[in-house]
């Protein structure tokens, strides 16, 4: 038996010296994690390692301690006679695990579970889904009777489950904190699991996971909360009854004044619910308002996946019809039902990915209606479908149009797969002397970046305008 107690260790260097002595590691320079893994995974005979003192060392050692624990678990996974016993939980502020801003979802309300390291078989009626081991490592545990193979796909990576008990399948996820869409395959069939959060993406209901700890800025706080309202309107453009979601700021009913409004669009394959359930925009806005960092406004979110029928009866996506639907149907509906200021100085539009293209088209074609513009993971050019027509961008070259915009905000994650298009838009702006606020974030083409975009965009809106009237 080897006992590792981290309670009295004060630095990364001291921790590695301690591990070197306790595990009989050879002298080495730099990181010792590879040596730890090699020594344990190649060891013969039974080895039982007890880990203690995590709570008292967490703040001092942080991610370095996480790396050691991950290495121990990785070695345990491939070594038959190695067992790791973690005797206490890390006090890492797990309050976020119960925060409604984190765990609420459109189809259910479930919480991740923190369990002891020595797991017992999962009863048929037990909690399934995303869980965390005592030291904080996330894993998914699901029950699939009679299954032969279970896999979880995240991006391009496939994570195979192990049947750890009869009919109980478990996979440990070596993921950084953040939001991840997932595809779950059971015996090579794509399935939707009710014990994982369900949203709408990829043009269908889809599972996702939120790995914590999560940022503070979109957690629900003890502050006044706005309303989320589901509205129906008749569209002259589509010929159908359509829906939109409206965020109404706290105090709207009590304050009889008129408000500015932001029209906020989702990306391809998502719908009007995305900015609330995946984007957490309501909690982000609540928190900004409570801190006095943003102007109270309505946020209107509509379905940009505008479908049309060909002469042959085939249903196709017409994303470039949305600007017309917004101007002809949505804006008149909102301005008739809500107290919003019907003036370009108090009307903004923003969107992510496909929604950024729709924003660019709309603001350019209807510049007299919008004074504020935001493109997240964003494209000034329309790069979807065939016969792309980017003639609308000609107006952006005009000095009068540029001066008329109070704000032009562009942002993208540095690891975004569409970075080259963002760079092309950089060149377009530079060539035509188009002023903009430009932001970069760590991350890809996903909600982890878009949440930061809206957090930074909202405080910039309507700040120089008159108060509620």
């Amino acid at each position: 038996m080897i006992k590792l107690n981290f309670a009295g260790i004060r630095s990364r260097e001291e921790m590695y010296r301690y591990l070197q002595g306790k595990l009989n590691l050879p002298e080495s320079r730099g990181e010792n994690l590879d040596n730890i893994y090699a020594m344990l995974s190649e060891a013969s005979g039974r080895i039982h390692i007890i880990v203690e003192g995590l709570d008292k060392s967490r703040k001092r050692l942080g991610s370095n301690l996480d790396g050691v624990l991950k290495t121990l678990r990785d070695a345990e996974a491939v070594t038959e006679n190695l067992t790791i016993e973690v005797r206490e939980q890390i006090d890492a502020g797990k309050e976020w695990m119960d925060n409604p801003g984190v765990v609420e979802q459109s189809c259910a309300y479930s919480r991740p579970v923190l369990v002891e390291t020595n797991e017992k078989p999962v009863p048929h009626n037990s909690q399934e889904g995303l869980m965390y081991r005592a030291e904080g490592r996330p894993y998914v545990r699901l029950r699939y009777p009679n299954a032969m193979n279970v896999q979880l796909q995240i991006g391009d990576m496939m994570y195979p489950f192990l049947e750890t008990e009869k009919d109980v399948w478990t996979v440990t996820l070596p993921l950084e904190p953040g939001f991840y869409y997932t595809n779950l395959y059971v015996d090579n069939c794509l399935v939707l699991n009710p014990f994982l959060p369900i949203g709408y993406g990829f043009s269908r209901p889809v599972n996702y996971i939120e790995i914590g700890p999560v940022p503070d800025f979109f957690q629900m706080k003890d502050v006044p909360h706005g309303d989320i309202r589901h509205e129906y309107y008749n569209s002259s453009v589509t010929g159908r009854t359509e829906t939109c979601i409206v965020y109404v700021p706290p105090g709207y009913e009590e304050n009889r004044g008129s408000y500015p409004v932001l029209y906020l669009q989702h990306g391809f394959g998502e719908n009007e619910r995305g900015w609330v359930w995946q984007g957490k925009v309501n909690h982000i806005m609540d928190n900004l308002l409570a801190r006095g960092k943003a102007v109270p406004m309505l946020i209107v979110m509509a379905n940009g996946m505008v479908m049309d029928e060909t002469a042959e009866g085939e249903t196709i996506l017409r994303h470039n019809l949305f600007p017309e639907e917004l101007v002809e149907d949505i804006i008149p509906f909102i301005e008739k039902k809500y107290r919003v200021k019907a003036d370009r100085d108090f009307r903004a539009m923003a969107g992510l990915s496909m929604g950024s293209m729709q924003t660019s088209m709309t603001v350019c074609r209807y510049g007299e209606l919008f004074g504020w513009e935001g493109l997240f993971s964003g494209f000034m050019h329309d790069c979807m479908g065939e016969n792309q027509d980017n003639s609308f961008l000609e107006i952006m070259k005009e000095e009068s149009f540029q001066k008329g915009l109070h704000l032009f905000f562009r942002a993208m994650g540095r690891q975004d797969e569409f970075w080259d298009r963002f760079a092309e838009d950089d060149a377009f702006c530079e060539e035509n002397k188009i002023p903009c606020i430009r932001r970069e974030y760590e991350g890809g083409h996903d909600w982890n970046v878009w949440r930061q975009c809206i957090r930074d965009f909202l405080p910039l809106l309507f700040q120089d305008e008159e108060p509620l009237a």
Side-chain angles (χ1 to χ4, degrees):
M1 180 184 71
I2 301 173
K3 181 178 288 189
L4 299 177
N5 191 322
F6 294 92
I9 297 177
R10 301 183 179 279
S11 68
R12 170 181 171 276
E13 292 74 17
E14 185 180 344
M15 180 178 68
Y16 282 121
R17 289 197 300 271
Y18 174 75
L19 291 170
Q20 199 167 34
K22 296 290 290 186
L23 300 177
N24 296 319
L25 297 173
E27 290 288 340
S28 65
R29 301 172 64 182
E31 300 286 343
N32 283 301
L33 295 182
D34 289 342
N35 287 335
I36 294 173
Y37 180 85
M39 175 268 184
L40 293 176
S41 61
E42 296 171 4
S44 59
R46 184 172 296 278
I47 301 176
H48 181 65
I49 298 178
I50 297 174
V51 181
E52 297 177 330
L54 301 176
D55 183 27
K56 296 180 181 179
S57 60
R58 175 67 181 179
K59 290 183 179 180
R60 294 190 298 270
L61 300 177
S63 61
N64 295 302
L65 182 58
D66 291 339
V68 171
L69 291 172
K70 180 180 184 302
T71 300
L72 294 176
R73 288 298 188 196
D74 289 346
E76 180 187 34
V78 300
T79 309
E80 182 177 359
N81 292 320
L82 172 63
T83 55
I84 308 296
E85 178 185 354
V86 180
R87 286 193 170 177
E88 63 182 273
Q89 298 176 2
I90 295 178
D91 182 10
K94 291 296 191 294
E95 293 82 4
W96 59 266
M97 294 178 67
D98 285 330
N99 191 280
V102 177
V103 299
E104 64 184 356
Q105 51 176 292
S106 59
C107 297
Y109 193 96
S110 64
R111 289 180 169 85
V113 176
L114 187 67
V115 300
E116 297 299 331
T117 301
N118 297 325
E119 302 171 30
K120 297 179 180 179
V122 184
H124 291 184
N125 61 348
S126 177
Q127 172 81 34
E128 301 176 47
L130 175 65
M131 302 185 182
Y132 293 85
R133 302 191 190 280
E135 70 273 21
R137 294 192 69 196
Y139 70 106
V140 173
R141 183 168 59 177
L142 302 171
R143 185 173 182 271
Y144 282 110
N146 304 316
M148 300 296 292
N149 180 271
V150 181
Q151 294 179 299
L152 189 71
Q153 183 182 19
I154 300 176
D156 296 330
M157 294 296 295
M158 194 72 76
Y159 298 93
F161 284 69
L162 295 176
E163 190 174 14
T164 51
E165 301 289 340
K166 179 175 171 53
D167 297 333
V168 176
W169 296 80
T170 304
V171 61
T172 299
L173 298 174
L175 299 173
E176 295 296 319
F179 175 96
Y180 299 88
Y181 278 125
T182 66
N183 288 321
L184 183 64
Y185 293 91
V186 178
D187 296 338
N188 297 319
C189 294
L190 179 63
V191 301
L192 194 67
N193 189 281
F195 294 103
L196 294 176
I198 299 173
Y200 193 86
F202 304 107
S203 298
R204 60 176 173 82
V206 62
N207 284 132
Y208 65 87
I209 55 176
E210 186 88 53
I211 301 293
V214 301
D216 185 73
F217 72 88
F218 67 77
Q219 293 186 39
M220 180 185 283
K221 305 290 184 181
D222 185 14
V223 300
H225 302 296
D227 296 337
I228 298 295
R229 304 184 182 184
H230 193 158
E231 298 284 6
Y232 297 91
Y233 63 92
N234 294 322
S235 172
S236 61
V237 174
T238 68
R240 298 184 295 267
T241 299
E242 306 288 356
T243 65
C244 64
I245 304 293
V246 182
Y247 168 86
V248 179
Y252 175 84
E253 297 298 341
E254 296 78 16
N255 184 333
R256 303 310 298 175
S258 298
Y259 288 74
V261 58
L262 164 65
Y263 294 90
L264 181 63
Q265 285 308 113
H266 59 84
F268 176 83
E270 298 170 335
N271 63 15
E272 70 276 8
R273 303 165 69 91
W275 267 112
V276 172
W277 298 110
Q278 285 99 283
K280 313 296 183 183
V281 68
N282 53 317
H283 297 303
I284 293 172
M285 189 58 174
D286 288 345
N287 295 336
L288 289 171
L289 290 173
R291 295 168 53 210
K293 298 294 186 180
V295 172
M297 70 187 78
L298 272 71
I299 303 176
V300 179
M301 297 152 278
N303 188 354
M305 297 286 288
V306 182
M307 307 307 292
D308 195 16
E309 286 190 7
T310 65
E312 294 76 24
E314 180 185 2
T315 301
I316 59 172
L317 172 66
R318 291 281 301 278
H319 72 286
N320 51 6
L321 273 181
F322 182 75
E324 183 181 349
E325 182 182 355
L326 176 64
V327 171
E328 297 294 328
D329 301 320
I330 301 172
I331 291 178
F333 170 80
I334 293 297
E335 293 184 352
K336 181 178 180 180
K337 183 163 185 175
Y338 291 92
R339 299 189 317 276
V340 295
K341 297 182 178 182
D343 186 282
R344 72 181 300 276
D345 290 333
F346 300 95
R347 193 183 293 118
M349 186 174 181
L352 68 89
S353 195
M354 181 188 75
S356 71
M357 300 179 206
Q358 294 170 325
T359 297
S360 186
M361 294 180 212
T362 307
V363 174
C364 287
R365 291 172 180 166
Y366 303 95
E368 74 280 5
L369 298 180
F370 298 92
W372 313 76
E373 179 180 4
L375 311 181
F376 312 150
S377 285
F379 312 100
M380 295 174 64
H381 294 73
D382 181 10
C383 50
M384 287 182 60
E386 300 178 356
N387 304 316
Q388 298 162 8
D389 179 9
N390 284 288
S391 59
F392 61 87
L393 285 174
E394 289 301 310
I395 195 170
M396 291 208 76
K397 300 177 182 179
E398 299 179 7
E399 184 178 0
S400 59
F401 179 86
Q402 297 170 15
K403 289 183 176 180
L405 271 182
H406 298 291
L407 172 68
F408 181 33
F409 180 99
R410 300 174 53 242
M412 185 169 276
R414 295 185 184 94
Q415 290 76 43
D416 196 304
E417 60 191 291
F418 299 109
W419 180 268
D420 287 347
R421 294 190 182 275
F422 190 65
E424 291 171 3
D425 287 343
D426 283 340
F428 181 85
C429 288
E430 183 176 356
E431 178 183 351
N432 295 287
K433 297 181 174 58
I434 299 173
C436 67
I437 291 180
R438 182 185 182 281
R439 298 282 172 86
E440 297 179 13
Y441 303 93
E442 288 301 314
H445 200 75
D446 56 46
W447 282 107
N448 302 301
V449 168
W450 302 328
R451 290 167 176 172
Q452 296 179 76
C453 290
I454 196 66
R455 175 201 62 192
D456 293 345
F457 180 69
L458 288 171
L460 302 176
L461 294 178
F462 314 119
Q463 289 288 1
D464 297 330
E465 307 306 325
E466 299 175 4
L468 296 179

